[in-house]
Amino acid sequence: MTTQAKNLVSENPVFIVLIGLCPALAITGRLIDALCVGAAVLIVMAGSQLTISVLRKFIPEKMRVPAVLLVVCALVTVIDLLLNAFLPSLSARLGIFLPLVAVNCLILSRAGSFAFQNNSGVSLLDALGKGAGFFLALALIALIREIIGSGTISFSPLAEGGAIVIPLLSTVPVAVVAAPAGAFLIIGLLMGLFNSLPAIKKRISGRLPPPSKADQGTQANDEGQGGQA
Amino acid sequence: MNDRADFKKMLLPVLKTGAIAAAAVLVILLVGWATSPLVASRTIAEQTVQLKLLAADGEPGKSRIAFPLEMVKNEFDSVILSHCSDDGERNLVSACYAPDQNSRMSLLPGLSDARQADLSRILVKISFVSRGAVLKYFPVKKGTDLAGYILELSGSGFGGKLDLIASYQTDGTLNRALLVKHAERFPGGTGTDRLLDLFYGKKAAGMPVTTAMLENSGADAVSGATESLRGIGLALKAGSLYAARIGSDGR
């Protein structure tokens, strides 16, 4: 599997590395919000890692964290200003979540570590890969939550409408999925799925060996203890 | 010599970080400068649309700054603006009260414009404590008759500061309001028009602003956002008192 493919699935920042979970919980109620924040994170990641990798010899070791914060905050502010000017309704919808991208753990950790040790090309590729993984994760969580929890799929940031309405689910939505508790539930289920993907893949391709005698023995012991308990 | 070398060693990282900070600030200023005309023109266009919508078949006049000249306590033990005057009446003798009622200031005839402006700023600050302030107003005319006012209001909801624009009749009855800017999270994407419905056609005294009044009016069932509605209600109430106080003479 290539590095970029790993970023999307087997090293996904949200489902496998468990980083950047705050926005994954907070803004995944509607697909369009998740796509917008995901895109903002992707752009800020690419910009910050590129800038830091270019400046890595100029930035003093002691000032690494303040320098990273300065670069990331400046990029987020610029995006906020541009969105406010060109897509005001989207800017209003995202509200506080856009400025909060500045303290996204994924961005700060990659800019503070990877970008300091690699050249600009490698850093940019890494940022795009990790950002795409984060984007995919947010989109997947939001899609599931919105379909089940609201019975809609929103795709336009420009108006209140701009959503596909799913007939049965929109009249009787499973409200808990749209609620914050639903975000935990869906993320947990997706984490389970992503973590078991390698095993599923091996089993499908027939490469998973049948349980050994030792495994069977352990299983029998476990069952025996369970019975005694 | 060693001290000097140490100082240099310490200073260099700081200067380098300072240079990065300066570059970051410069970029932000440049983007802000480039986008500000667009934002300003959009704000003016939006306000024109809002004024036309709120004025209905009337014609909104020029905006006037709402100079607060007197404040009174309301029944919730907080202060709200109750009387303002346009720039022709700055020399009126008036008094204002801080929320604790201990600090009382008087505006004396002949005060300089600068002093009046200072005092106005203080009063606006106090009025934010009361969660409702009138910032500007536009007289609305139908032909030659004064039909009412459109007021720019500022309030404080669950998510912080919120801006409203609302049209009133000259007796303080609220015709219609628009929530222009806010950070409230209304559950389930509840439309703000439906929430503001609770206040339409009411004067200050009848506006639901306490938790009990809001619950009785079914606000919680509508939105699940009583605190947000309380903030909106207090701002609209301040506006109603203001419009009624200026009354039909337009001052």
Side-chain angles (χ1 to χ4, degrees):
Chain A
M1 197 181 276
T2 64
T3 312
Q4 300 313 325
K6 274 183 185 173
N7 282 329
L8 296 179
V9 185
S10 64
E11 285 176 16
N12 188 286
V14 175
F15 299 132
I16 307 292
V17 190
L18 308 187
I19 199 164
L21 286 177
C22 302
L25 292 165
I27 51 90
T28 50
R30 288 178 83 231
L31 178 65
I32 189 66
D33 295 350
L35 293 179
C36 293
V37 170
V41 168
L42 183 67
I43 294 166
V44 172
M45 266 195 94
S48 60
Q49 283 196 224
L50 189 65
T51 313
I52 295 290
S53 61
V54 168
L55 294 174
R56 70 185 192 280
K57 284 175 186 162
F58 177 76
I59 298 169
E61 181 64 31
K62 285 178 188 171
M63 292 293 183
R64 198 183 261 208
V65 176
V68 168
L69 280 172
L70 277 169
V71 170
V72 174
C73 290
L75 278 167
V76 171
T77 310
V78 165
I79 290 177
D80 199 13
L81 287 169
L82 290 174
L83 271 185
N84 190 32
F86 298 106
L87 288 170
S89 56
L90 177 62
S91 176
R93 262 209 79 78
L94 294 180
I96 189 67
F97 294 111
L98 193 64
L100 280 178
V101 168
V103 287
N104 186 295
C105 309
L106 178 64
I107 298 173
L108 293 180
S109 65
R110 297 309 288 180
S113 58
F114 193 89
F116 268 99
Q117 290 154 5
N118 294 283
N119 64 33
S120 50
V122 177
S123 293
L124 183 63
L125 272 180
D126 175 76
L128 291 174
K130 291 278 182 231
F134 188 76
F135 182 90
L136 177 84
L138 290 197
L140 193 58
I141 299 164
L143 187 68
I144 296 170
R145 281 186 72 196
E146 196 181 354
I147 290 175
I148 303 174
S150 309
T152 56
I153 303 172
S154 58
F155 55 86
S156 170
L158 301 175
E160 279 292 316
I164 298 166
V165 179
I166 299 161
L168 187 64
L169 278 169
S170 62
T171 47
V172 197
V174 186
V176 71
V177 179
F184 279 105
L185 192 71
I186 298 297
I187 290 176
L189 289 171
L190 286 170
M191 275 176 189
L193 177 70
F194 270 70
N195 278 291
S196 55
L197 274 180
I200 293 170
K201 201 177 164 189
K202 276 183 188 171
R203 189 156 291 198
I204 289 170
S205 61
R207 276 188 285 155
L208 196 69
S212 65
K213 280 184 182 174
D215 286 342
Q216 282 173 354
T218 315
Q219 201 176 351
N221 277 342
D222 288 346
E223 280 165 8
Q225 281 166 6
Q228 281 163 9
Chain B
M1 281 299 279
N2 267 350
D3 284 353
R4 204 169 170 181
D6 284 350
F7 181 70
K8 258 189 170 178
K9 211 175 171 183
M10 257 173 46
L11 194 64
L12 195 63
V14 176
L15 286 176
K16 282 183 172 180
T17 314
I20 295 170
V25 169
L26 192 68
V27 170
I28 291 169
L29 286 176
L30 273 174
V31 175
W33 172 77
T35 55
S36 59
L38 196 66
V39 175
S41 64
R42 196 189 64 234
T43 307
I44 292 167
E46 280 174 3
Q47 196 181 54
T48 310
V49 172
Q50 288 161 358
L51 286 174
K52 275 190 179 167
L53 191 72
L54 290 174
D57 49 348
E59 188 61 41
K62 279 188 177 175
S63 74
R64 298 177 182 187
I65 295 168
F67 279 97
L69 293 181
E70 184 190 339
M71 301 174 83
V72 291
K73 292 193 83 177
N74 68 6
E75 64 269 40
F76 310 112
D77 211 30
S78 60
V79 179
I80 53 170
L81 300 178
S82 70
H83 179 63
C84 301
S85 175
D86 63 42
D87 52 5
E89 297 292 330
R90 285 188 199 171
N91 287 336
L92 279 176
V93 177
S94 188
C96 57
Y97 300 86
D100 61 0
Q101 253 196 342
N102 291 326
S103 51
R104 176 177 171 159
M105 293 178 288
S106 291
L107 296 182
L108 297 172
L111 273 184
S112 67
D113 283 359
R115 180 71 184 123
Q116 292 274 9
D118 281 349
L119 227 38
S120 296
R121 272 196 290 275
I122 295 166
L123 294 178
V124 168
K125 263 189 189 168
I126 296 170
S127 69
F128 277 125
V129 175
S130 75
R131 300 178 59 184
V134 184
L135 306 177
K136 266 189 205 171
Y137 70 98
F138 304 77
V140 178
K141 288 195 170 178
K142 277 184 187 169
T144 52
D145 299 332
L146 183 70
Y149 300 98
I150 295 174
L151 272 58
E152 272 186 30
L153 304 163
S154 181
S156 170
F158 185 74
K161 191 173 172 286
L162 48 87
D163 293 340
L164 290 140
I165 183 163
S167 64
Y168 294 89
Q169 293 167 23
T170 50
D171 63 352
T173 306
L174 175 67
N175 289 334
R176 193 169 175 195
L178 296 170
L179 198 51
V180 179
K181 201 172 176 185
H182 67 93
E184 308 301 307
R185 303 289 288 182
F186 297 116
T190 313
T192 51
D193 279 347
R194 200 176 158 200
L195 299 174
L196 293 169
D197 249 358
L198 295 167
F199 305 99
Y200 292 166
K202 290 181 177 137
K203 290 183 188 174
M207 286 191 184
V209 284
T210 62
T211 308
M213 286 167 90
L214 282 165
E215 279 170 4
N216 285 340
S217 62
D220 203 44
V222 173
S223 68
T226 314
E227 193 55 25
S228 305
L229 279 175
R230 207 170 111 81
I232 293 169
L234 284 169
L236 290 173
K237 183 169 180 155
S240 173
L241 286 168
Y242 185 98
R245 197 65 179 262
I246 333 174
S248 53
D249 61 354
R251 300 194 340 181

